[in-house]
Amino acid sequence: MTYRLPEERVPDSEPWKDREFLEWAYRERGLSPRSIAYELGVSKSRVTVFAERLGVLRPWRHEDTLRRLHVEKGLSVHEIADREEFDCTPVTVRKWLARHD
């Protein structure tokens, strides 16, 4: 049983790969990757790697997220950077957009 993560919210299999769960634990519960890893009994790097791949941590690096916001929704670099979950500068967003072409 975990202390900060109610058992009914933790997926049965590989919760560190579940985007919805990681979003909930990180954004709504306010837990750090280290705390999530501790609660799940896995390494911090395992949680961090999957959280980044899924766009939960450092969403400006996540190609699908950037594509959705910039191309599909038509948001500018400044509007993307100003989003609460991004917490980065427009220069960072521009750099990652260029990297993803």
Side-chain angles (χ1 to χ4, degrees):
M1 172 114 179
T2 61
Y3 172 67
R4 296 181 190 136
L5 301 173
E7 209 169 292
E8 62 273 2
R9 287 301 305 251
V10 179
D12 293 333
S13 176
E14 300 180 324
W16 54 88
K17 292 183 178 180
D18 187 306
R19 185 178 202 280
E20 185 179 311
F21 167 74
L22 290 174
E23 281 278 347
W24 172 80
Y26 183 69
R27 300 218 190 281
E28 292 182 34
R29 296 291 290 195
L31 299 177
S32 68
R34 181 183 305 271
S35 296
I36 296 168
Y38 176 79
E39 295 293 322
L40 298 176
V42 297
S43 69
K44 176 186 167 239
S45 62
R46 180 171 290 189
V47 170
T48 302
V49 165
F50 282 98
E52 283 187 8
R53 284 182 187 167
L54 297 169
V56 175
L57 290 177
R58 299 177 189 93
W60 59 86
R61 293 182 178 186
H62 192 244
E63 185 174 1
D64 292 339
T65 300
L66 286 176
R67 180 173 284 114
R68 182 176 47 79
L69 295 173
H70 189 62
V71 177
E72 294 173 16
K73 290 190 173 188
L75 297 180
S76 72
V77 170
H78 289 278
E79 290 170 324
I80 294 170
D82 286 343
R83 294 175 66 90
E84 184 179 322
E85 68 270 17
F86 270 68
D87 192 30
C88 69
T89 67
V91 171
T92 301
V93 173
R94 192 173 293 115
K95 177 180 102 175
W96 283 93
L97 280 170
R99 185 174 284 183
H100 294 308
D101 198 29

